[in-house]
């Protein structure tokens, strides 16, 4: 019963343009810091209701879709459509607040089974309707923008009703989950079997299993549990030309790994309806601890050594000096002041916060792993409270962003990855590019995921919003960061390509790479109905 209510609520959700219905106020000391460091004034830009044009879904297409999913599951009302108009990037939030052009789907279609998804795609191909697969709608790269391309109309294909745990194989440790399951619900269903996925991105509360696979997502505990693509054992993909199943064995030499071609295909090759995942026993003990390293270079080298010695903690996250300083200042209070004094006293001139977290089956296991990690780390331990404080606030980012939006801050995040030998150069050039583009601003960075050969860099930038042209301001900053990253790092370590990064993809994978993607798309989606304008540069790929 409870479960039914939860799904109905998710179907009816109209929460767009923010993460939560109520926005927390920024504390006065945070506002003061922003005013000092970004020149933020008192000017507020009140949100305006975005325009929602009428649905242009043709009557015969609607009748055919109704026949597939049943009455009530093709929705053309304003709220349902507005509720699936774009994702949650800064640009999406601006559009939802009335700045810039908001693309609104002509209908929201809610299939209940994998078979219905395949039938919906067949109908859409027959009726020239573009399809935007919609999971949690947390894309920050324009992945769920309702782009119709050269099609007559566009639907949001919301997978919320595909919410079943299909099977668990406890011997092989594989669970088959339907694609529309949000992460917390997937964990809730796996818990009685003693398993966890261990995938905890910051968007955990709302993102789905299908969305994770479609975007090659990486969670905060990726050092321990792996990236999402490492967890995928198999997929069930609906396409306009039929269903494709992949993943017969844990490893295979039967040609290239086609499963990896589907993972990260961002709804442009098909719709994932089920995902088989390698699951792990749930941890019994979890320990989080804060450390401080003196200076970015030392911190980055320390994380590199941990990765290369293969003793990374499950969560390993190194903030640079600016991020550390801003986090401590925003936390405020006498404890923070005391901590800053303590760090000065210990001679740490450029404190960089390092959060480490270990999960295990017992105290003894976690203790042993901690010992291995911290041996030779040359960092000052601040103990468990700081680690726990990070864990406690790990999902606060989007809520803080809501509050920052309200007071007129341009708040954007971007991420990349590169090899260790280039990591500091890349960090410096992105910081410089953002500062040149935005003027007075705060640029913060952390290593969010570490590997033997390199790491990801995650930037957060805060500037006073240009009230006259907020979209133009964002475009300039995005282009500057894209230029700085191009040729040194990847255009996306885990946010995917979407519409926003598509112009930069060819520089990374080459013209031949783009041609390979386009030809796969032509095979699976000959009329180009699936997610036009996403992933593949050059926009629309249709026809033979
Ligand atoms: C505040 C915030 C924090 C974030 N933190 C992280 C993070 O820590 N790590 C991380 O990896 N990402 C993060 N993201 C990005 C985003 O959450 C991920 O990309 C996530 O994987 C998207 O899942 P979703 O279910 O919301 O997918 P959606 O946003 O609905 O869709 C994403 C893309 O996948 C396609 N798609 C969705 N479902 C399917 C399906 N079943 N079959 C085929 N295509 C599909 C969509 O068309 C779209 O192109 C964050 C986003 C926000 C807003």
């Amino acid at each position: 019963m409870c479960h039914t209510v939860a799904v109905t609520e998710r179907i009816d959700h109209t929460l767009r343009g923010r993460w939560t219905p109520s926005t927390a106020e920024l504390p006065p000391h945070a506002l003061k810091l922003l005013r000092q460091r970004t020149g933020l004034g008192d000017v507020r830009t009140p949100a305006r209701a975005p325009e929602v044009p009428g649905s242009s879904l043709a009557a015969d297409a609607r009748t055919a879709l109704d026949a597939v999913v049943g009455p009530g599951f093709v929705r053309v009302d304003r709220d349902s459509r507005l509720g699936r108009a774009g994702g949650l990037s800064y640009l999406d939030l601006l559009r939802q607040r009335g700045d810039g052009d908001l693309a609104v789907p002509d209908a929201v279609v809610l299939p209940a089974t994998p078979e219905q998804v395949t039938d919906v795609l067949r109908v859409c191909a027959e009726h020239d309707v573009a399809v935007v697969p919609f999971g949690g709608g947390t894309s920050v790269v324009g992945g769920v923008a309702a782009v119709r391309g050269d099609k007559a109309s566009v639907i949001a294909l919301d997978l919320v009703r595909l919410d079943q745990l299909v099977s668990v194989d406890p011997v092989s440790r594989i669970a088959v989950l339907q694609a529309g399951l949000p992460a917390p619900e997937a964990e809730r269903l796996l818990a009685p079997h003693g398993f966890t996925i261990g995938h905890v991105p910051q968007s955990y509360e709302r993102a789905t299993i299908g969305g994770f696979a479609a975007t090659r997502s990486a969670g905060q505990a990726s050092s321990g549990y792996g990236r999402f693509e490492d967890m995928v054992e198999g997929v069930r993909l609906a396409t306009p030309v039929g269903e494709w199943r992949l993943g017969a064995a844990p490893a295979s030499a039967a040609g290239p790994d086609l499963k990896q071609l589907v993972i990260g295909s961002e709804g442009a090759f098909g719709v994932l309806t089920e995902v088989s995942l390698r699951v792990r026993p749930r941890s019994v003990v979890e320990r989080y601890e804060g450390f401080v390293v003196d200076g970015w270079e030392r911190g980055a080298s320390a994380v590199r050594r941990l990765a290369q010695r293969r003793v990374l903690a499950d969560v390993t996250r190194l903030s640079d000096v600016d991020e550390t300083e801003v986090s401590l200042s925003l936390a405020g209070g006498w404890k923070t002041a005391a901590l800053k004094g303590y760090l000065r006293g210990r001679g740490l001139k450029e404190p960089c916060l390092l959060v480490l977290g270990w999960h295990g089956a017992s105290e003894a296991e976690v203790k042993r792993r901690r010992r291995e990690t911290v041996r030779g780390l040359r960092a000052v331990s601040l103990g468990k409270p700081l680690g726990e404080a990070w864990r406690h606030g790990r999902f606060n980012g989007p809520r803080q962003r809501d509050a920052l939006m309200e007071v007129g801050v341009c708040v954007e995040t971007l991420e990349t990855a590169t090899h260790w030998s280039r990591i500091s150069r890349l960090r410096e050039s992105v910081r410089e590019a953002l500062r040149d583009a935005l003027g007075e601003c705060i640029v913060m960075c952390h290593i969010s995921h570490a590997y033997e050969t390199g790491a990801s860099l995650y930037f957060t930038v805060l500037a006073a919003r240009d009230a006259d042209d907020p979209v133009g301001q964002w475009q300039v900053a995005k282009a500057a960061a894209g230029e700085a990253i191009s040729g040194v790092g990847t255009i996306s370590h885990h946010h995917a390509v979407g519409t926003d990064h598509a112009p930069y993809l060819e520089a990374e994978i080459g013209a031949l790479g783009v041609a390979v993607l386009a030809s796969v798309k032509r095979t699976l989606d000959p009329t180009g109905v699936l997610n036009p304008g996403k992933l593949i540069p050059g926009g629309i790929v249709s026809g033979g």
Side-chain angles (χ1 to χ4, degrees), residues 443-457:
V443 184
M444 300 176 275
C445 176
H446 64 257
I447 286 180
S448 54
H449 308 268
Y451 307 92
E452 281 178 72
T453 54
S456 70
L457 292 174

Side-chain angles (χ1 to χ4, degrees), residues 19 88 132-140 143-144 159 179 199-203 206-212 214-220 237 266-267 270-273 397-398 401 449 458 494-495 531 534:
W19 191 260
L88 285 164
V132 179
F134 196 99
T138 65
S139 169
V140 282
V144 287
L159 298 156
H199 187 68
V200 192
Q202 199 189 45
S203 53
R206 285 169 70 167
T208 62
I209 297 299
F212 294 145
T215 59
R216 304 182 85 86
S217 170
Q220 291 165 341
L237 187 80
E266 301 184 33
V271 179
L272 292 155
T273 55
R401 190 171 64 152
H449 308 268
Y458 188 97
H494 57 265
H495 283 168
N531 228 0
K534 320 295 164 50

